[in-house]
Amino acid sequence: MRTLLDMYERMAVIRRTEKAAFDLFMAGLVKGTTHLASGHEAVAVGTAAALRPDDYVFATYRGHHHAMAMGASAEECLAELMSKATGVCRAKGGSMHLTKAANGMLGSYAIVGAHLPMAAGAAWSAKLRGTDQVAVAFFGDGATNIGAFHEALNLAAVWKLPVLFICENNFYMEYTPIGAVTAVPHPAADRAPAYSIPAVVIDGNDVTVVRDAVAQAVERARAGEGPTVIEAETYRHHGHSRTDPGAYRPKEEVERWLKHDPLDIARAHLEAQGITPDDVRRVDERAAAHVAAAVDAAKNAPDADPAEAFTDVWADGSATWRS
Amino acid sequence: MAELITYREAVAEGIAREMRRDPDVVCLGEDIGAAGGVFKTTVGLFDEFGAGRVWDTPISEQAIVGAAMGAAMTGMRPVAEIMFSDFLACCWDYLANEIPKVRYMTGGQVTVPLVVRTANGGGLGFGAQHSQSVENWALTVPGLKIVAPSTPADVVGLMASAIRSDDPVVFFEHKGLFASKGAPAPPDHVIPLGKAAVRRSGADVTVVALAATVPLALTAAEELARDGIDVEVIDLRCLIPLDMSTVLESVAKTSRLVVVEENPYQGGWGGTVVSVVAEEGFESLDAPIKRVAAANVPLPFADALEEKVIPTVDKLVAAVRTTVAY
Ligand SMILES: Cc1ncc(C[n+]2csc(CCOP(=O)(O)OP(=O)(O)O)c2C)c(N)n1
Ligand SMILES: [Mg+2]
């Protein structure tokens, strides 16, 4: 993703994949739950654009956009959601655990905050191995109130680890506004000073702003200057999960944020760069065709093999626990 | 015979041997560096390997084990110390939800080659929050390998396998055994995970033990031998993989089974062992199975009370006599 147009296309694919995931869920083809990331695309894509292929990313159950920003295909993600053998985790993970380890996307974790220490650990590992890789943890505003967040920030600071803590502040945990349960106005950024970690609050819906802020933090990390907290303000276009209509959010607030759409903002930037609306439309059409083909392919893929239930507990591929 | 070494020295020795052969092995934990650990089980590591490989951490059990996990997923072989096994509760998410599941739920995309070492068990009067035997906690979670050695040489041999394992291992070091002595491990000593040891062979009754209940069982066996009761003592060494072949073979020979475990009777590992024997070895049995386990109460402080709760030689001797008399 070298250009703004590349980033735009990745976001457009994610947006349409999320829409497809929602439709497939409503059609009963996706079981369990989904936590859609429509509205959050710029945080993931802007970050991915500032990383190197050998860097590490850890994400949450709201992680479709992270997996796809890091190069998981729409098809393998949708196949995972639909319990298909071709799913990115061979249908053993599901929506909440999309992972693309080959691309450094080391998992989506559904225990709030648990992956922040892991990202610190991956950064520690880079330091131990003498590489200049960095690790990124994406997490929600809600995750800033769990102990693992604080333990991870402190450890990353005292060990000067090359890790970025990127909070997707969408202003709600599940249904409760974050402000109602948090002692500071900026749930991530206001905590960072307690650990001597520099922090910025940015517009998480502007992919160029995200990319630039992340690039700066990455540079610091690679130079051995330690962690950074980035609080990217954003908003989810859907409810928290499944069919939650998000009725707890004031209408004016929703409208304001829908007008501050990451795709619209990127389009405005593209226009300013002299990219014509026709060029953008072609990209939109390509994204739509790509996702439509991914939906078809995922639908037609073979179902997960039940025998898979007994593979890959252990590194040798087995599930043997006794003689 | 070479000089004896303590179980505590064997822990440091086992780790040091692996750190010498594999530069990816690193240690982290509270006070494990220059201080050598609160149980002195990491003495010498900091001097030999330096701060770059032996890392003192804050009192942050989640960060310790979570960081070990992240490092293990990205090419290192971390050995994390949780000072007292009771404190595993503070990072239980990692042992219950993260470490044992990430390989499976990613469809085999990642491995987690780490060891979580921890001082386990009672008998030292540390009270309810520093004395528990919690190996059964780990046993409730598919996806963790579980080691609990009983001798210094086994500590070294099993530590080698645990650190070389590409799977996550919880390594329970028994506090009551730290001062115990035994033969040192020969060079390159590696004991495969999931291989029990028959510590004493006998014809009349099988006693299955683990960690500190192994010496307890051997003492009981000597006492019973004086009355002509010939006890076979099996040291499981590991709970996962669980060497049921050795247990079932022994029960086929003796027809009687007593399990002696330090974790509580409720949910204790003996329940898993005896359920396999009940399903697959029922026809070998000539007497009901007995379990000598900790009582279902928190561990009390005073010796006189603690003895009431945890297994003792007398309790095991009584259980074996009942079984044999049946
Ligand atoms: C430890 C833990 N507690 C509670 C939950 C249930 N839960 C799932 S998502 C969520 C809200 C998290 O909010 P936030 O971190 O802001 O992320 P968002 O969903 O807004 O992206 C909660 C409470 C959980 N998964 N893990
Ligand atoms: Mg939120």
Side-chain angles (χ1 to χ4, degrees):
Chain A
M1 283 188 298
R2 282 186 320 252
T3 66
L4 180 57
L5 198 58
D6 293 340
M7 292 196 286
Y8 177 81
E9 180 160 4
R10 191 69 61 99
M11 293 199 294
V13 167
I14 294 171
R15 176 68 57 84
R16 284 172 173 77
T17 305
E18 292 299 62
K19 170 80 170 68
F22 183 76
D23 293 344
L24 291 164
F25 184 86
M26 296 308 279
L29 296 174
V30 172
K31 66 163 210 167
T33 186
T34 56
H35 300 78
L36 301 178
S38 303
H40 286 222
E41 297 89 350
V43 187
V45 172
T47 301
L51 295 179
R52 252 179 12 209
D54 61 340
D55 291 328
Y56 302 117
V57 161
F58 294 79
T60 75
Y61 52 85
R62 192 183 309 287
H64 301 175
H65 57 324
H66 297 303
M68 293 179 64
M70 294 297 289
S73 73
E75 179 185 335
E76 61 191 345
C77 292
L78 291 170
E80 182 70 22
L81 270 57
M82 284 192 271
S83 305
K84 300 293 190 169
T86 54
V88 70
C89 298
R90 307 217 307 270
K92 289 165 92 160
S95 164
M96 294 200 280
H97 302 303
L98 299 185
T99 301
K100 186 77 178 173
N103 295 9
M105 200 284 174
L106 293 181
S108 305
Y109 297 85
I111 309 296
V112 166
H115 57 299
L116 275 72
M118 296 174 208
W124 179 50
S125 154
K127 189 176 171 122
L128 289 166
R129 288 179 286 110
T131 74
D132 66 348
Q133 294 161 287
V134 305
V136 173
F138 292 104
F139 53 95
D141 43 283
T144 65
N145 290 324
I146 201 160
F149 167 89
H150 297 270
E151 292 194 12
L153 261 66
N154 183 58
L155 190 78
V158 293
W159 287 2
K160 272 205 157 186
L161 299 176
V163 57
L164 277 59
F165 297 105
I166 304 185
C167 177
E168 290 176 45
N169 183 3
N170 61 14
F171 302 95
Y172 291 82
M173 26 191 282
E174 277 170 329
Y175 314 128
T176 304
I178 194 65
V181 292
T182 308
V184 292
H186 292 293
D190 289 349
R191 263 70 175 264
Y195 304 105
S196 305
I197 298 178
V200 284
V201 180
I202 61 168
D203 180 354
N205 282 7
D206 186 333
V207 73
T208 65
V209 168
V210 174
R211 182 199 52 201
D212 295 348
V214 172
Q216 215 177 345
V218 164
E219 199 177 300
R220 254 179 57 79
R222 293 207 207 286
E225 288 165 31
T228 302
V229 168
I230 296 176
E231 183 171 322
E233 295 185 329
T234 185
Y235 206 72
R236 47 175 159 75
H237 288 186
H238 295 266
H240 170 70
S241 64
R242 290 160 59 95
T243 53
D244 165 32
Y248 43 86
R249 301 191 302 185
K251 219 165 134 203
E252 319 74 64
E253 179 185 289
V254 176
E255 274 161 17
R256 179 156 41 84
W257 277 97
L258 287 177
K259 284 197 206 112
H260 193 64
D261 182 305
L263 289 163
D264 293 343
I265 295 170
R267 247 184 247 113
H269 286 317
L270 286 166
E271 225 164 288
Q273 283 189 1
I275 312 277
T276 67
D278 271 355
D279 290 335
V280 175
R281 188 158 29 79
R282 267 193 294 279
V283 168
D284 280 327
E285 284 164 9
R286 196 160 65 209
H290 178 82
V291 174
V295 170
D296 281 346
K299 273 186 180 165
N300 293 322
D303 289 337
D305 177 359
E308 283 276 352
F310 298 104
T311 64
D312 279 329
V313 173
W314 308 119
D316 67 4
S318 81
T320 309
W321 65 278
R322 55 162 282 208
S323 65
Chain B
M1 176 131 182
E3 236 175 88
L4 299 181
I5 68 161
T6 62
Y7 185 101
R8 142 181 13 259
E9 288 162 344
V11 173
E13 169 72 15
I15 299 169
R17 286 186 183 192
E18 292 310 302
M19 291 184 79
R20 280 175 208 133
R21 67 180 282 282
D22 183 351
D24 293 339
V25 179
V26 286
C27 296
L28 72 165
E30 295 159 20
D31 303 317
I32 66 163
V38 294
F39 293 106
K40 302 291 169 219
T41 45
T42 54
V43 167
L45 298 182
F46 186 82
D47 286 343
E48 182 174 352
F49 302 103
R53 293 182 69 195
V54 183
W55 290 65
D56 277 322
T57 65
I59 305 167
S60 300
E61 277 72 16
Q62 299 191 66
I64 293 168
V65 178
M69 179 179 172
M73 291 165 75
T74 54
M76 303 304 295
R77 287 189 181 272
V79 179
E81 177 176 307
I82 295 297
M83 191 183 284
F84 283 78
S85 62
D86 314 70
F87 311 163
L88 289 174
C90 301
C91 52
W92 191 239
D93 177 41
Y94 293 90
L95 285 119
N97 295 320
E98 316 295 342
I99 290 167
K101 295 182 168 61
V102 70
R103 176 172 177 78
Y104 188 83
M105 73 190 193
T106 61
Q109 293 185 59
V110 297
T111 52
V112 196
L114 61 76
V115 177
V116 176
R117 307 170 33 241
T118 189
N120 191 45
L124 300 178
F126 284 151
Q129 298 181 333
H130 288 72
S131 301
Q132 298 171 88
S133 278
V134 302
E135 62 272 14
N136 60 323
W137 293 2
L139 188 60
T140 60
V141 187
L144 297 173
K145 296 204 163 157
I146 306 168
V147 180
S150 72
T151 71
D154 270 23
V155 167
V156 173
L158 290 166
M159 187 70 80
S161 287
I163 293 176
R164 294 178 200 185
S165 166
D166 287 333
D167 295 312
V169 177
V170 187
F171 196 98
F172 290 100
E173 297 159 8
H174 201 287
K175 291 195 285 289
L177 296 176
F178 279 140
S180 66
K181 289 189 175 168
D188 303 318
H189 190 46
V190 181
I191 299 170
L193 302 184
K195 279 263 148 250
V198 179
R199 297 292 179 194
R200 183 187 195 282
S201 107
D204 297 335
V205 54
T206 299
V207 170
V208 175
L210 182 77
T213 68
V214 174
L216 185 154
L218 290 168
T219 306
E222 290 313 309
E223 194 175 322
L224 290 156
R226 289 197 284 276
D227 295 334
I229 299 172
D230 192 14
V231 179
E232 177 142 307
V233 176
I234 295 176
D235 176 355
L236 281 179
R237 288 173 161 160
C238 295
L239 292 179
I240 300 289
L242 184 60
D243 186 358
M244 284 309 300
S245 314
T246 297
V247 175
L248 287 163
E249 252 167 60
S250 175
V251 172
K253 178 175 75 172
T254 63
S255 311
R256 288 178 158 77
L257 174 64
V258 178
V259 177
V260 56
E261 53 193 306
E262 201 180 304
N263 57 200
Y265 188 95
Q266 64 179 65
W269 57 260
T272 301
V273 171
V274 305
S275 71
V276 175
V277 173
E279 286 196 39
E280 298 173 25
F282 181 72
E283 279 160 16
S284 308
L285 292 169
D286 286 340
I289 295 167
K290 280 201 114 21
R291 287 177 63 202
V292 178
N296 297 329
V297 298
L299 284 163
F301 164 67
D303 287 348
L305 278 68
E306 192 178 27
E307 257 173 44
K308 282 291 210 190
V309 174
I310 61 180
T312 60
V313 172
D314 288 349
K315 289 181 206 173
L316 179 58
V317 164
V320 171
R321 285 191 203 284
T322 316
T323 303
V324 171
Y326 178 82

